[in-house]
């Protein structure tokens, strides 16, 4: 818990409520569509828009959301990939709040006695949040209710059970519907001081259709309808002067036209072995792929030998691998560090497959969930916006240019200076 805090100061009595909506893969270019929607005119009329926010490396959902929660780069908060690297088993998604090594905005807000809520926000399972519905992506098996009960708060699970329905797929619009229904219920019933929620449909749409907003208008329009519902609910409950609605994206995506089976190459060179499920069993060099980059782990060989092997593959398969960063470079340039030895960017138009397969290079067609993807260097491609709807005092003094800036800005809306 943060030091020197714990009691809300007097000005909190007049504090505005803050709701943060993360729209996965929302990019600045999408605002052109959202701002034209009639039901969002009032929200955007009183908004402050920060465009083209610089993300973190890798531009994956979990590292990005952990940075938004903490204001720290991946190496410091500990979420350097969506999955935890391991050998011999399917890799665990890093969804537990305990996976984050530093304080979050929830920890700080709670230390002041503020009521908090989180619905489907990545890396919050088991967090100390009053009204928590954790993200499990996606739950498997017949015991999914028990899995949610284990990661939700007591009050959050009551809300979850009120809105879950038989046949929910926990994917795309289904999970977003659950998120929206629960969020509106929490706002109406409990009126938290800080609420964060995460909508994933647009990310799935871009994976299937490519990055062009025109190809994703249906998903963007649906997001706009959801944002309008939240704005209207907030206005009805609190009055438009008494809240801020923050709309943000976590990362962009890049179009891909082919995939490359880097692990089949490594297997053929005797550098990796895999089980029947495609999970790595042993390795000398292993690429923990994000899709558009990879954290490279080595074992039993030296760094220079591994570096030479990676460069050899790069020459052998021209265009499939891009920039190669040693661990010191990744740390110095991007604040990305961990037990890996290198970071390798995918080549132009290349998706780095996560399991070995043939042929080594395959064309990607729309609808295959690889038409566009992310995990790339943060300076590449379209970038997300950060939009604050509602009046903000001294907003000209507050700047948001990167994901690292967002936590302190959100806290400032609550009157907390960080």
């Amino acid at each position: 818990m943060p030091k020197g805090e714990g009691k809300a100061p007097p000005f909190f009595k007049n504090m505005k409520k803050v709701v943060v909506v993360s729209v996965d893969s929302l990019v600045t270019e999408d605002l052109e569509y959202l701002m034209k929607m009639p039901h969002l005119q009032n929200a955007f009329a009183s908004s402050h828009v920060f465009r083209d926010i610089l993300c973190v490396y890798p531009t994956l959902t979990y590292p990005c959301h952990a940075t938004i929660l903490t204001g720290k780069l991946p190496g410091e908060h500990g979420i350097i990939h969506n999955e935890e690297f391991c050998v011999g088993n399917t890799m665990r998604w890093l969804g537990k709040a305990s996976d984050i090594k530093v304080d979050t905005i929830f920890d700080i807000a709670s230390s002041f006695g503020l009521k908090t809520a989180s619905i489907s926000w990545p890396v919050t399972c088991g967090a100390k949040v009053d009204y928590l519905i954790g993200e499990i992506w996606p739950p498997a098996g017949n015991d999914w209710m028990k899995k949610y009960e284990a990661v939700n708060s007591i009050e959050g699970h009551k809300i979850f059970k009120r809105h879950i329905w038989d046949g929910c797929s926990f994917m795309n619009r289904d999970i977003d519907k659950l998120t929206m229904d629960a969020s509106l219920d929490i706002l109406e019933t409990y009126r938290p001081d800080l609420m964060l929620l995460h909508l994933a449909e647009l990310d799935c749409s871009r994976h299937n259709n490519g990055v062009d907003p025109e190809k994703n208008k249906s998903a963007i329009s649906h997001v706009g309808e959801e944002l309008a519902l939240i704005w209207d609910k907030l206005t009805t409950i609190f009055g438009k002067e008494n809240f801020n609605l923050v709309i943000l994206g976590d990362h962009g995506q890049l179009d891909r036209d082919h995939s490359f089976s880097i692990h089949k190459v490594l297997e053929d060179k005797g550098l990796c072995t895999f089980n029947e499920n495609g999970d790595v069993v042993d390795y000398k060099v292993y690429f923990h792929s994000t899709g558009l980059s990879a954290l490279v782990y080595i074992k039993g060989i030296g760094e220079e030998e591994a570096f030479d092997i990676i460069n050899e593959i790069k020459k052998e398969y021209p265009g499939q691998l891009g920039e190669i960063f040693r661990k010191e470079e990744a740390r110095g340039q991007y604040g990305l560090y961990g037990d890996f030895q290198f970071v390798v960017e995918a080549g132009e138009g290349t998706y780095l497959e996560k399991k070995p397969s043939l042929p080594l290079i395959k064309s990607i067609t729309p609808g295959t969930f690889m038409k566009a993807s992310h995990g790339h260097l943060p300076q590449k491609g379209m970038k997300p916006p950060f939009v604050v709807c509602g009046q903000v005092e001294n907003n000209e003094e507050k700047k948001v240019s990167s994901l690292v800036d967002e936590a302190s800005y959100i806290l400032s809306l609550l009157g907390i200076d960080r």
Side-chain angles (χ1 to χ4, degrees), residues 89-348:
N89 295 298
T90 300
M91 297 186 192
R92 175 182 74 87
W93 279 62
L94 290 165
K96 298 178 181 178
S98 58
D99 291 323
I100 297 178
K101 300 175 181 177
V102 297
D103 286 332
T104 69
I105 58 176
F106 287 126
D107 297 321
I108 295 168
S110 295
S111 75
F112 282 106
L114 303 183
K115 289 195 296 184
T116 58
S118 178
I119 307 93
S120 300
W121 191 280
V123 206
T124 56
C125 292
K128 293 180 180 179
V129 171
D130 297 298
Y131 310 105
L132 169 68
I133 298 175
E135 186 195 53
I136 302 174
W137 185 254
N142 297 322
D143 59 346
W144 54 265
M145 182 63 83
K146 290 183 179 179
K147 291 181 179 179
Y148 265 105
E149 187 173 15
V151 302
N152 295 342
S153 68
I154 294 173
E155 292 300 323
H157 196 62
K158 292 176 183 176
I159 298 157
F160 175 84
K161 289 194 293 184
R162 279 209 293 269
H163 296 285
I164 193 63
W165 68 94
D166 289 340
C168 175
S169 69
F170 296 99
M171 296 286 284
N172 304 333
R173 287 199 178 187
D174 274 9
I175 194 65
D176 282 5
K177 180 184 184 320
L178 176 63
T179 298
M180 282 297 302
D181 291 347
S183 298
L184 295 173
D185 186 350
I186 290 169
L187 284 173
E188 180 72 45
T189 309
Y190 302 103
R191 308 190 178 195
D193 300 300
L194 172 65
M195 183 170 84
L196 275 63
L197 62 133
H198 173 234
L199 301 173
E201 178 190 352
L202 181 56
D203 181 66
C204 296
S205 179
R206 283 207 149 93
H207 277 297
N208 285 306
N209 300 319
V211 300
D212 186 357
E214 190 69 24
K215 296 178 180 177
N216 297 283
K217 284 181 70 173
S218 174
I220 295 169
S221 295
H222 193 239
V223 165
E225 293 167 3
E226 293 167 325
L227 293 173
L229 287 173
I230 295 170
W231 176 264
D232 291 345
K233 177 65 73 173
L234 288 167
T235 302
T236 299
I237 297 172
F238 303 117
K240 61 182 180 180
E241 303 298 324
N242 299 311
F243 70 87
N244 286 115
L245 172 62
V246 177
I247 303 165
L248 59 84
D250 56 343
H251 55 70
Q253 294 198 25
L254 297 176
D255 285 324
R256 304 288 92 176
D257 55 34
H258 67 279
S259 64
F260 177 50
S261 184
I262 179 64
H263 292 115
K264 182 61 179 168
V265 173
L266 295 172
E267 184 180 51
D268 289 347
K269 290 180 177 293
L271 297 167
C272 276
T273 56
F274 299 87
N275 62 22
E276 57 189 17
N277 296 320
D279 302 320
V280 63
V281 173
D282 201 5
Y283 67 94
K284 292 181 179 178
V285 178
Y286 177 76
F287 279 49
H288 192 192
S289 175
T290 71
L292 301 197
S293 65
L295 309 181
V296 181
Y297 293 82
I298 67 174
K299 187 175 72 170
I301 63 173
E303 179 180 336
E304 293 308 315
E305 183 181 355
F307 188 70
D308 290 342
I309 288 169
I310 296 168
N311 276 292
E312 177 189 326
I313 294 171
K314 186 174 179 178
K315 290 177 183 177
E316 212 173 330
Y317 299 93
Q320 305 312 306
L321 301 182
E323 298 96 325
I324 303 170
F325 301 96
R326 296 178 184 269
K327 62 181 180 181
E328 297 85 1
E329 294 171 321
R331 180 170 188 152
Q333 294 181 43
Y334 299 104
L336 175 61
Y337 53 91
D339 294 336
F340 57 85
Q341 205 72 22
F342 305 95
V343 184
V344 178
E345 185 79 355
E348 186 71 24

Side-chain angles (χ1 to χ4, degrees), residues 352-370:
L352 296 175
E353 291 188 12
K354 300 181 180 182
K355 296 186 178 184
S357 65
L358 288 172
L360 293 178
I361 299 173
K362 298 182 279 293
S363 295
I364 293 175
T365 55
T368 59
F369 209 72
M370 293 187 296

Side-chain angles (χ1 to χ4, degrees), residues 57-72:
Y57 195 33
T59 51
L60 282 180
T61 298
Y62 281 26
C64 288
H65 278 84
T67 291
I68 296 166
L69 281 179
T70 64
K72 305 296 183 183

